[in-house]
Amino acid sequence: MNRVVQTAARPAARPLPAAGRGGRRAPRPRSGQWAAWGFLAPVVVYLLVFYAYPLYRNIDLSLRDYTVRSFVQGDAPFTGLANYAKVLRDATFGPALWHTAVFTVVSLAFQFGIGLALAVFFHKNFRLSATLRALFLVPWLLPLIVSASTWSWMLNSDSGVVNAALGAFGIGPVDWLTSPDWSLWSVTIANIWIGVPFNLVVLYAGLQAIDPAIYEAAELDGASAWQRFWKVTFPLLRPVSAITLLLGLVYTLKVFDIIWIMTKGGPSTSSTTFATWSYRLGFGNLLPAFGPGAAVGNLLILAALIFGLIYIRVQRRQALT
């Protein structure tokens, strides 16, 4: 009887939370949802203001016949793909496409190759390793206007140190910036010099993540230094190499300031790329062609998007295998 009374006197058991019924999770409190949106809101606003809206405006510019007056008043007539057709028929399109391809491919190849070689070199810790790595970062840390101006001075036909060094070996002066044969290679060399430190930093970080025991096992198996690099280092660096090349590609496609400061895309169109051509169309003339300039810029965005999708597809295939 006493047990019955004690049992009846006990407070009723609290109902189980929703998470315990049928395995369902309890609904998130309203305050938690608002907190999540509060943290997400700055990123969303930033992307909308600085990415989505400029992209929309650039697409709108490329689909309308904008003049200076209509650009201010906003009453430009819609022309569809006429600006793109005009760009494709332009005599500058072919040379600009070729120069963009050469500038991008050569820059990426040498930046990645030199950066990888330096990363492997510095991976062997020696006395001045940290100091030398810091010195190699200087081109990356300098403002681009300073780097481009320095290369313009070095490659000057009359007073540049490069021609002075060539003269010491009996080689005549080269018109690096004013010759149609050399202008594109001059800006490419400068861009390679600026981009090597980025590749060095990223690839060196990738090398640090490789377990040294793998190298020890390969060495015990009799693998030479080249075999260890080709069979161990290079395959294990593949994910890091892919993102390094993708970021380098996107950056190189849109390089403008280096070329504009050194050659302004000239002489004639010998070093004109899509980036400098887009700027010249939109802002480099007394009567700016906003529509065609935006169309050229959108072609660059499309190229970067295509390579980005290719990268995502390759990464998914590697994840599945």
Side-chain angles (χ1 to χ4, degrees):
M1 184 65 179
N2 291 335
R3 291 181 179 179
V4 174
V5 173
Q6 291 176 0
T7 303
R10 290 178 183 175
R14 295 182 179 178
L16 292 175
R21 298 177 181 176
R24 296 179 181 177
R25 298 183 61 181
R28 180 180 292 181
R30 181 72 64 176
S31 58
Q33 292 180 351
W34 284 112
W37 280 109
F39 284 110
L40 189 61
V43 178
V44 174
V45 172
Y46 175 81
L47 291 176
L48 290 176
V49 173
F50 293 102
Y51 285 88
Y53 179 72
L55 180 59
Y56 161 75
R57 286 292 297 155
N58 204 59
I59 295 175
D60 181 69
L61 279 172
S62 67
L63 298 178
R64 297 180 181 274
D65 184 16
Y66 272 97
T67 61
V68 176
R69 184 187 63 81
S70 61
F71 186 83
V72 175
Q73 297 180 355
D75 57 348
F78 181 79
T79 58
L81 299 178
N83 288 321
Y84 292 92
K86 182 178 180 180
V87 165
L88 294 175
R89 291 194 302 264
D90 196 297
T92 308
F93 177 80
L97 177 62
W98 172 248
H99 297 157
T100 303
V102 171
F103 179 78
T104 303
V105 172
V106 174
S107 294
L108 283 180
F110 279 91
Q111 287 174 355
F112 181 80
I114 297 173
L116 179 59
L118 290 174
V120 172
F121 174 74
F122 286 119
H123 188 54
K124 303 174 183 178
N125 292 321
F126 51 92
R127 184 173 237 178
L128 297 177
S129 175
T131 303
L132 292 176
R133 284 204 316 271
L135 291 176
F136 270 103
L137 291 178
V138 171
W140 193 30
L141 299 176
L142 287 175
L144 289 177
I145 188 173
V146 175
S147 301
S149 300
T150 302
W151 276 99
S152 296
W153 168 73
M154 292 173 59
L155 297 176
N156 185 276
S157 302
D158 300 322
S159 58
V161 296
V162 175
N163 277 344
L166 293 177
F169 293 94
I171 302 175
V174 177
D175 296 328
W176 297 100
L177 304 177
T178 57
S179 170
D181 298 327
W182 287 103
S183 58
L184 180 62
W185 299 111
S186 300
V187 296
T188 304
I189 292 171
N191 187 62
I192 292 171
W193 180 79
I194 292 171
V196 164
F198 171 76
N199 288 260
L200 166 62
V201 169
V202 178
L203 295 172
Y204 180 80
L207 287 175
Q208 294 292 97
I210 300 177
D211 189 355
I214 301 177
Y215 290 107
E216 295 175 2
E219 190 173 1
L220 290 175
D221 289 338
S224 63
W226 171 251
Q227 289 174 330
R228 291 196 298 271
F229 169 79
W230 190 248
K231 299 294 185 180
V232 177
T233 302
F234 197 73
L236 293 179
L237 272 182
R238 192 170 297 164
V240 179
S241 300
I243 191 63
T244 304
L245 290 172
L246 176 64
L247 293 176
L249 173 71
V250 173
Y251 169 79
T252 308
L253 282 175
K254 65 183 183 63
V255 166
F256 162 77
D257 31 24
I258 299 171
I259 301 175
W260 192 258
I261 292 171
M262 293 182 66
T263 65
K264 289 185 170 57
S268 184
T269 58
S270 59
S271 60
T272 295
T273 62
F274 276 177
T276 58
W277 187 28
S278 176
Y279 178 83
R280 180 177 294 171
L281 288 172
F283 304 99
N285 300 313
L286 293 176
L287 295 176
F290 293 117
V296 175
N298 287 334
L299 292 178
L300 279 178
I301 296 174
L302 180 61
L305 179 62
I306 290 173
F307 284 105
L309 294 176
I310 293 175
Y311 167 77
I312 294 174
R313 187 177 182 86
V314 171
Q315 289 297 103
R316 286 180 178 177
R317 285 186 177 181
Q318 291 180 353
L320 292 176
T321 57

